[in-house]
Amino acid sequence: MSERWARFVLSTYRWVGAAAFPIVGAYVAFRASKGKEERGRHGERYGNASVARPSGPLIWVHAASVGETSAVTPLVEAIIDTGIHVVLTTGTVTSAKMVQERLGDRVIHQYVPLDLKPAVDRFLTHWQPDLAVICESEIWPMTILELGTRRVPQVLVNGRLSDRSFASWHRRASIAEALFENLAHVVAQSEVDGERFRALGARPVTVSGNLKVDTAVPPVNNAELASLQRMIGTRKIWAAISTHQGEEAVVAQVHHMLKARHRDLLTIIVPRHPDRAAQIAAEIEKLGMKVALRSRGDQIEPDTDIYLGDTIGDMGLYLRLTEIAFVGRSLTAQGGQNPLEPAMLKSAILSGRNVQNFRDSYQRLIKNGGAKLVRDKDMLAGAVNYLFNNPAERQIMIDAGLKTVEDMRGSLTRTMTALEPFIQPLVLQARLSNREGGWK
């Protein structure tokens, strides 16, 4: 595809986006509203701000969901500490709650506008950001083009491109280049990600490491932790976290296999999407196992087989109950999930082999001995059994995971260094504005 044709496609996309807005926008907003936004804030999806813009320089930071929000929180705090206002957009109710819990009124939270010209126009006209900081792989063509038209610098941080995303963009290389040339800087998670962004035309590209490593460990309510520990007592326990469709059944089968050797076994399952909890519980109960759901306040009784962690924001609680964690979306689904939180919270990590989205983290953990990959349920059962029977080996894995995380730290500092040329002029502008008594 020629560069001229690529630009024609993008300009057509911009025009079609505006023309199709009443139909497409209504449908997308309807889909988005199903559990992904709060009542009364529906208009934010169309770029209608729910609060006034503060005076002075302002940076727009976008993080799609819970994982990205957690990763970008320390960066947002560092920006706030410079005295610059931040409007932080996310796409889900759970990520909005995380923003409120961790940042409170230090930032302005809005739901991200739909990637359609009228919505993006309204959003940008109201907020007039001086800089846009986008987290991970949020590549929205209309938003990127409109920011480019308004000459707002945009920086992609913690950037990553999965195998599938890179292949898809590579097939449309001219369009990718016409889009990515609007990015003032890409700060990639790994060397592989950096090379992929460069291949698609992004310039300049630097590598920072994963911002998730520089986040604080997931918090916990100590009273709730103590209560669960009393219920569990001395039982052997392992956890399967961030599981996806099909993996819960595999974990239940592993529990059945292990119980022949460990009669007091308790298995924790934390599904990636807690709204599937009722379905998961029904499937496991059909196998003759007793399930307790945290969302119902069920007690863990001596004959409870599976404790279903179907609540949001409690990963710090579940991981503090165990020293063995299987990380999902890696056996029956592909891409993997973040293994760094269990490493931080002192778990020996097991995973399926489909971990492409977190390749760099797993490579480091496996090299250092902090994680092991399993092929199927039999191999998973064998690995959990081995770790139960060999506490010294389990501790070696835990220590290796902790060391790996420590060695990977520093991404926040490197990211702030990359952002400094964009932020420092705004800091000076804010100081001058305060001195002169206002912002124009």
Side-chain angles (χ1 to χ4, degrees), residues 172-403:
R172 303 163 182 84
S174 296
I175 291 179
E177 185 170 355
L179 271 178
F180 290 163
E181 71 177 10
N182 288 279
L183 301 178
H185 199 126
V186 172
V187 187
Q189 286 189 22
S190 69
E191 293 293 346
V192 170
D193 292 308
E195 286 304 314
R196 288 177 172 179
F197 279 110
R198 291 186 190 100
L200 295 175
R203 298 288 189 280
V205 178
T206 56
V207 177
S208 69
N210 194 335
L211 276 175
K212 289 184 172 76
V213 184
D214 285 344
T215 60
V217 295
V220 67
N221 182 309
N222 288 316
E224 293 178 357
L225 175 62
S227 175
L228 286 177
Q229 288 173 330
R230 283 194 296 272
M231 283 189 263
I232 294 168
T234 59
R235 295 177 66 176
K236 288 187 176 177
I237 184 170
W238 71 294
I241 66 168
S242 300
T243 55
H244 283 244
Q245 183 81 37
E247 290 178 327
E248 296 87 11
V250 171
V251 172
Q253 293 168 36
V254 169
H255 174 89
H256 179 73
M257 295 164 68
L258 290 170
K259 200 168 179 182
R261 301 189 180 199
H262 307 281
R263 304 300 300 175
D264 62 345
L265 180 66
L266 176 68
T267 296
I268 298 175
I269 297 179
V270 185
R272 176 68 173 173
H273 302 291
D275 56 351
R276 297 177 46 242
Q279 172 196 342
I280 295 167
E283 290 176 355
I284 294 174
E285 286 168 347
K286 284 181 182 178
L287 299 174
M289 299 179 195
K290 184 172 180 178
V291 182
L293 275 69
R294 175 160 174 78
S295 64
R296 295 191 311 218
D298 294 345
Q299 298 291 298
I300 299 175
E301 298 175 341
D303 61 342
T304 299
D305 291 293
I306 307 289
Y307 188 59
L308 197 55
D310 58 336
T311 53
I312 297 292
D314 284 334
M315 191 63 78
L317 173 66
Y318 303 129
L319 286 173
R320 284 177 172 86
L321 294 170
T322 182
E323 290 187 341
I324 304 171
F326 166 78
V327 183
R329 200 186 179 190
S330 58
L331 274 179
T332 62
Q334 295 197 8
Q337 294 288 173
N338 177 20
L340 298 175
E341 286 185 346
M344 291 176 189
L345 288 174
K346 303 178 182 180
S347 284
I349 299 167
L350 303 172
S351 172
R353 297 186 294 180
N354 301 312
V355 293
Q356 301 90 327
N357 292 352
F358 296 87
R359 182 184 286 113
D360 184 63
S361 296
Y362 273 103
Q363 285 178 340
R364 291 169 182 258
L365 284 165
I366 291 167
K367 180 181 178 181
N368 292 341
K372 296 184 185 300
L373 301 186
V374 299
R375 182 176 55 251
D376 51 30
K377 73 173 186 295
D378 293 328
M379 195 171 176
L380 176 58
V384 175
N385 182 61
Y386 177 81
L387 291 172
F388 276 147
N389 293 334
N390 296 273
E393 291 297 318
R394 186 169 73 236
Q395 190 60 52
I396 289 173
M397 287 187 69
I398 290 169
D399 292 343
L402 284 170
K403 185 179 186 305

Side-chain angles (χ1 to χ4, degrees), residues 90-160:
T90 65
T92 64
V93 172
T94 51
S95 55
K97 289 179 179 176
M98 177 178 285
V99 172
Q100 179 57 40
E101 290 170 0
R102 299 193 181 183
L103 294 168
D105 59 5
R106 299 179 69 198
V107 300
I108 302 166
H109 175 267
Q110 298 280 278
Y111 284 104
V112 66
L114 300 169
D115 193 47
L116 294 165
K117 183 175 174 58
V120 176
D121 269 345
R122 290 191 196 99
F123 181 89
L124 295 179
T125 297
H126 177 83
W127 293 108
Q128 299 177 53
D130 298 281
L131 171 67
V133 177
I134 306 162
C135 186
E136 294 206 9
S137 54
E138 289 291 284
I139 309 298
W140 295 106
M142 182 60 66
T143 302
I144 290 175
L145 291 171
E146 288 304 310
L147 285 166
T149 298
R150 294 171 185 243
R151 300 188 182 281
V152 178
Q154 37 192 323
V155 179
L156 182 68
V157 300
N158 216 39
R160 67 180 177 88

